[in-house]
Amino acid sequence: MMKSFINCFTGSIVHILNDSSIHESDLILLGGGYLLRSGLDEYGLPEITFPVQRCGEAALEKLGVSYKNISLAPAIDFDEVKMLCKRNNGVIAWTNSAHLNYSSLYSMNLGYLHSIVISDVENGMVKVFDPLVVDIPPYATHGEMSLAQATLALSDVVKTDTYNLMGKLLVIHPCKRIEFSCELKQQNMRQLSELFFQNDECLLSIDKYIALNQSLYKSADSAMKKTISRRLFDHVQVLYIIPILNMLLSKSDSLKIKNHLTEEIRQWQTVAMMALKNSKILSDRVFDKIIITLENCSQFRKQYWESIRNESVSNWC
């Protein structure tokens, strides 16, 4: 198994760019993905994430890489898809994960919006690269689907009032080697620290996430409480929080910030372990402890960005 990316869309972009000087952490930095937001996912469950499509496209714009969204309507022409793949090192597509049959994990869960790279169409099969199969641990993989199965994955719209990403391909045009200087990275970190405190959506994201979980959990039956707890575990441990914090930790040479992030990650790991436990053996006492620890995590996030704003970020590179 290949090591996964932390997000399917930014991971797909890195795969397409195929430039050893550009890492997923760079795209997330340039696109503002380190500033988390909270809300409800496609199924009305609390989530904490970042606007992944805008993050990826904003990063491409800052890097000076041109891209274009191409509609798949009124019908999917796989000959055209094949041509686009040949010209552009593949194309990125949003899919309904329930139809991605190259991994049995997808059919075991509700379908959700998921980004993959279509690398070729050959002999009636669509060849793909999937940057994030959500397992424990997550992994990346190559796979293939029949034309009929790929059509389902590309056209069976995930039922949601929030997202409308399906029905198009993202084509990233070939470019020369990208230069992304330490100075530009430092400048973007400073900008993010300021934006965090200027935008309540970012500043209060964990507080809002806490409130959403509390409200839904209070009125939920036992099965839904287990689902809420499992989704909390997924968002913290597998999908976003801890992977992003580990990414920030790896990029810092400041001992003060490293120590802060190490303790913050420990707090989030405690949340994840309690949430996983609560998803199996329900306990209101455990859920109350989850909320208390999440409140601590909220303070840690605010203190982190305060530290970035107040001290030199020349260590980021």
Side-chain angles (χ1 to χ4, degrees):
M1 292 189 296
M2 293 178 285
K3 182 179 178 182
S4 76
F5 293 85
I6 75 165
N7 176 260
C8 60
F9 189 64
T10 51
S12 293
I13 292 175
V14 172
H15 184 79
I16 291 281
L17 290 176
N18 193 28
D19 187 329
S20 61
S21 68
I22 297 299
H23 306 283
E24 188 179 20
S25 58
D26 299 327
L27 297 183
I28 292 175
L29 171 60
L30 285 176
Y34 291 122
L35 299 181
L36 299 169
R37 273 85 163 172
S38 58
L40 299 176
D41 68 11
E42 299 97 319
Y43 298 98
L45 297 173
E47 70 171 353
I48 187 161
T49 180
F50 59 91
V52 295
Q53 182 174 28
R54 186 56 205 144
C55 172
E57 292 180 351
L60 288 174
E61 290 161 11
K62 286 189 177 182
L63 289 169
V65 178
S66 62
Y67 66 88
K68 182 178 182 180
N69 284 295
I70 296 179
S71 175
L72 289 171
I76 301 172
D77 183 343
F78 283 106
D79 288 333
E80 181 183 5
V81 174
K82 179 181 178 68
M83 178 190 67
L84 290 170
C85 289
K86 295 295 184 185
R87 290 179 179 175
N88 301 285
N89 193 36
V91 296
I92 299 173
W94 284 100
T95 66
N96 182 333
S97 67
H99 301 296
L100 302 178
N101 63 348
Y102 50 82
S103 171
S104 60
L105 284 169
Y106 288 123
S107 62
M108 294 165 55
N109 298 289
L110 289 172
Y112 56 88
L113 283 165
H114 186 61
S115 181
I116 61 172
V117 175
I118 299 177
S119 54
D120 198 6
V121 180
E122 187 176 21
N123 299 324
M125 301 297 290
V126 177
K127 300 183 181 300
V128 307
F129 171 74
D130 189 329
L132 176 61
V133 179
V134 181
D135 198 357
I136 302 176
Y139 63 92
T141 189
H142 291 280
E144 61 180 21
M145 297 178 285
S146 67
L147 297 183
Q149 194 69 27
T151 299
L152 279 173
L154 293 166
S155 60
D156 183 15
V157 177
V158 176
K159 302 299 186 294
T160 170
D161 294 327
T162 306
Y163 303 99
N164 185 25
L165 303 178
M166 294 182 66
K168 57 188 176 183
L169 301 174
L170 178 68
V171 175
I172 299 173
H173 300 298
C175 59
K176 61 181 181 180
R177 185 175 175 84
I178 302 164
E179 297 296 332
F180 187 26
S181 68
C182 288
E183 182 180 358
L184 180 56
K185 295 178 186 180
Q186 294 158 16
Q187 178 185 337
N188 276 270
M189 278 300 286
R190 285 190 289 268
Q191 290 173 350
L192 291 186
S193 67
E194 294 298 331
L195 284 171
F196 178 81
F197 291 102
Q198 293 168 6
N199 186 342
D200 282 350
E201 190 178 5
C202 302
L203 179 65
L204 303 176
S205 61
I206 299 174
D207 303 312
K208 180 180 177 182
Y209 185 61
I210 293 169
L212 289 170
N213 276 284
Q214 281 183 306
S215 176
L216 188 59
Y217 193 90
K218 183 179 180 180
S219 60
D221 60 21
S222 294
M224 179 55 72
K225 285 181 177 179
K226 288 183 178 182
T227 298
I228 293 166
S229 298
R230 177 61 200 218
R231 288 300 290 161
L232 205 159
F233 169 80
D234 288 340
H235 280 101
V236 171
Q237 183 69 46
V238 183
L239 294 174
Y240 295 109
I241 306 296
I242 290 177
I244 279 179
L245 293 181
N246 278 325
M247 195 173 272
L248 289 170
L249 179 62
S250 72
K251 292 296 181 178
S252 177
D253 291 330
S254 163
L255 181 60
K256 175 184 175 182
I257 292 176
K258 277 183 175 291
N259 288 339
H260 177 96
L261 285 169
T262 299
E263 177 58 25
E264 183 179 357
I265 290 169
R266 191 184 71 80
Q267 293 285 324
W268 282 107
Q269 287 171 334
T270 300
V271 169
M273 287 187 293
M274 290 191 294
L276 185 59
K277 177 181 179 180
N278 207 50
S279 73
K280 298 175 180 178
I281 306 172
L282 282 177
S283 166
D284 288 342
R285 185 167 172 266
V286 171
F287 187 77
D288 290 342
K289 287 184 177 180
I290 290 172
I291 296 301
I292 291 170
T293 312
L294 280 171
E295 289 169 348
N296 293 338
C297 292
S298 178
Q299 293 307 309
F300 268 97
R301 274 293 74 204
K302 293 167 186 173
Q303 292 163 7
Y304 170 80
W305 286 112
E306 185 70 30
S307 296
I308 294 296
R309 184 167 66 169
N310 290 339
E311 72 173 56
S312 169
V313 293
S314 59
N315 57 78
W316 179 285
C317 198

